[in-house]
Amino acid sequence: MSALRVWVLYRLGLAFFLNFTSIAGAASALHSALKPVERRQVNLPIADFTLTDQGGKSFQFKNLGGKVVVVAFAYTTCPDVCPLITAALRQVQSKLTVEERKDSYLLTVTTDPEIDSPKVLTGYAKRYGAELDTWSFLTGSETALKSVWKNFGVGVKRKGRGLVDHTPLTAIVDRHSVLRVAFIGPSPDVSLVLNDIRSLLAER
């Protein structure tokens, strides 16, 4: 299993400044699970983007305008942090009320388009019991994805087929497409994510 590389956000404003550090260890998955998640309040406008969802349909970010959106970055063959992030988001989705779901949405953006086709993402979503009425899994060309990764301040480094190091970011975007909260780490606290969603839902 590869060593986990964790990107740390030092400064957030109109851009992210990231410091890429390496954490070596034999049991990287266990180490990842125990490493604290960093929560940062930010103010970063997110530009519109178009990718492809798990159903093979075009997905345009601007169509979520007016909703609070939780955006996570993961890939389906990830051996350590991504399963933890995806499981946390599934808990978040399950704890949102029917009314809260009307004004919120979850996105998982792949960091490995080589493997993560719509069909593969569909299987991944089913594996976690994701309810696709309020959660989309997105892929696209590497060029399109690089633009999204850059916009969110996500670093991606391919180590080999099916093995990618990337910033373990879970971002919360407000109703006006501004990134307001960034969780950096393997398993964001579900209660904190829910509190942040609800706080932003209360804003107009």
Side-chain angles (χ1 to χ4, degrees):
M1 190 175 293
S2 69
L4 171 64
R5 292 180 181 269
V6 178
W7 286 75
V8 180
L9 246 56
Y10 276 110
R11 185 171 132 200
L12 289 157
L14 294 181
F16 283 139
F17 290 88
L18 300 163
N19 182 40
F20 191 69
T21 59
S22 177
I23 300 173
S28 66
L30 177 60
H31 185 87
S32 299
L34 297 176
K35 186 166 180 64
V37 176
E38 187 175 1
R39 178 186 177 278
R40 292 288 184 96
Q41 291 183 308
V42 301
N43 185 13
L44 182 71
I46 298 300
D48 184 33
F49 57 84
T50 301
L51 294 172
T52 302
D53 71 12
Q54 72 284 340
K57 297 179 180 179
S58 178
F59 186 99
Q60 199 161 4
F61 183 67
K62 72 177 183 180
N63 291 337
L64 297 179
K67 295 181 183 288
V68 172
V69 186
V70 182
V71 186
F73 294 84
Y75 67 103
T76 61
T77 57
C78 175
D80 38 48
V81 297
C82 303
L84 299 175
I85 291 172
T86 306
L89 261 62
R90 179 64 187 104
Q91 290 184 59
V92 167
Q93 186 181 49
S94 69
K95 292 178 183 296
L96 290 168
T97 67
V98 172
E99 288 302 312
E100 288 168 342
R101 287 194 188 196
K102 291 179 181 178
D103 292 317
S104 61
Y105 207 86
L106 304 180
L107 293 178
T108 296
V109 179
T110 185
T111 55
D112 189 7
E114 180 183 10
I115 288 179
D116 291 344
S117 65
K119 182 178 180 180
V120 170
L121 290 176
T122 295
Y124 186 75
K126 288 181 179 179
R127 192 187 318 162
Y128 285 89
E131 296 179 37
L132 299 178
D133 57 334
T134 55
W135 191 351
S136 292
F137 293 74
L138 305 180
T139 189
S141 68
E142 187 152 354
T143 298
L145 284 163
K146 280 182 176 179
S147 179
V148 178
W149 300 336
K150 182 178 180 181
N151 196 183
F152 279 87
V154 171
V156 178
K157 184 177 181 181
R158 183 178 302 281
K159 304 292 288 184
R161 181 170 173 78
L163 189 58
V164 179
D165 283 340
H166 65 91
T167 310
L169 175 67
T170 303
I172 305 181
V173 180
D174 70 16
R175 295 178 185 270
H176 307 289
S177 299
V178 177
L179 173 51
R180 297 282 295 279
V181 181
F183 290 89
I184 305 132
S187 186
D189 187 292
V190 171
S191 62
L192 291 180
V193 175
L194 285 167
N195 287 342
D196 287 327
I197 292 172
R198 288 164 178 159
S199 178
L200 292 177
L201 285 173
E203 295 183 1
R204 291 293 173 184

